[in-house]
Amino acid sequence: MMPPFELIADHRCLCGEGPLWDNRNKQLYWIDIVRGAINCYSPETGQLQHVNTDQKIGAIGLAESGTIIAALKSGIFQVDLSTGTMVHVLELEPDKPQNRCNDGKCDPAGRFWIGTMSDEGETGQGSLYTLEKDGTFSKKLGGLSISNGLAWDLGNKKFYHIDTPTRQIVAYDYCNESGRISNGIPVVEIAEAEGVPDGMTIDTAGKLWVAHWNGGRVSRWDPGTSKKLQELFLPVSKVTSCTFGGDHMDDLYVTTARIGLSEEEIGNQPLAGATFVFRKIGVQGFPGTRIKNDHYITPYEI
Ligand code: CA
């Protein structure tokens, strides 16, 4: 039987992450955290493009202007993929040089949310921040270990977040106008035998799709009932994140990693680090919002 997934390009990341569908240009972006690479793939032409940022990268977001906002080890940058130009927008945590950016996303109002974590494995050193539309910057959560899995549900006014070692998805009340979150309640817990929750996306029915690091799958959950609804298995253990894309937003793209695998494990999982797509899975995601970045530009670049 044919596997239910296809490979995207003949490419392996050390730590593939942050898949992001560009609805305007019909392209898929994803990053390689360890190599500091931004990858861009066109399903229509089959062309794969890489830009190297020369430092660890945690997340990217697409801006209204057409540039990319990249969360790197040394802070937030604005990247022009066509020229490779990078402009430093701000330093996130100058008092925590051991930290780096981790998962981040643009919310439905156009704000960029970005989590941090210790790059040396210390627990509780990370936070979750928001880069507001006017260029100001605010802290949403503190005391996090590995900030991951951002998703917003405008219908139910919820924001979902994962601090990976807790194995939980926490639902917060969310105000799209102000970006305020409150009243966090765990709604899903991943069983120990199924790895730990990493990246996450949401479908138009308000159900959550979660990547299982060391769990070899993506699972779909109803956050209202805390019930698992579906699982999609992959031939690799370290599944990092997922997002919807394609002409009808019903293809599920999934990133994976090969970092930390032994030679024997890589022999058994030759596709580790590849990006996969499950086509036409019967549910749709939301086309992503673009970052309203007009106020980000610092005077330094002129
Ligand atoms: Ca992640």
Side-chain angles (χ1 to χ4, degrees), residues 122-183:
E122 289 175 85
T123 58
Q125 291 299 307
S127 296
L128 179 66
Y129 301 95
T130 304
L131 199 50
E132 304 290 344
K133 285 181 283 186
D134 64 0
T136 58
F137 186 58
S138 58
K139 182 171 172 175
K140 301 293 184 184
L141 298 171
L144 303 172
S145 295
I146 307 179
S147 179
N148 265 314
L150 314 177
W152 291 265
D153 182 346
L154 282 188
N156 289 312
K157 297 188 170 63
K158 294 290 182 193
F159 165 68
Y160 298 101
H161 181 259
I162 290 168
D163 189 7
T164 288
T166 68
R167 292 192 284 111
Q168 291 175 334
I169 301 172
V170 177
Y172 293 84
D173 294 333
Y174 169 69
C175 172
N176 196 43
E177 199 175 315
S178 67
R180 187 167 175 268
I181 58 171
S182 57
N183 192 29

Side-chain angles (χ1 to χ4, degrees), residues 169-222:
I169 301 172
V170 177
Y172 293 84
D173 294 333
Y174 169 69
C175 172
N176 196 43
E177 199 175 315
S178 67
R180 187 167 175 268
I181 58 171
S182 57
N183 192 29
I185 295 170
V187 289
V188 169
E189 185 154 325
I190 301 296
E192 216 162 332
E194 298 177 357
V196 289
D198 193 343
M200 175 169 64
T201 193
I202 190 165
D203 62 38
T204 55
K207 309 298 189 283
L208 299 169
W209 295 78
V210 188
H212 291 232
W213 176 266
N214 286 339
R217 75 195 78 181
V218 173
S219 56
R220 184 186 190 221
W221 293 81
D222 183 336

Side-chain angles (χ1 to χ4, degrees), residues 111-127:
R111 292 172 288 251
F112 189 50
W113 294 53
I114 181 71
T116 59
M117 60 180 275
S118 164
D119 207 14
E120 293 161 6
E122 289 175 85
T123 58
Q125 291 299 307
S127 296

Side-chain angles (χ1 to χ4, degrees), residues 261-269:
L261 294 177
S262 66
E263 263 183 49
E264 188 188 351
E265 286 170 320
I266 287 179
N268 293 331
Q269 307 179 28

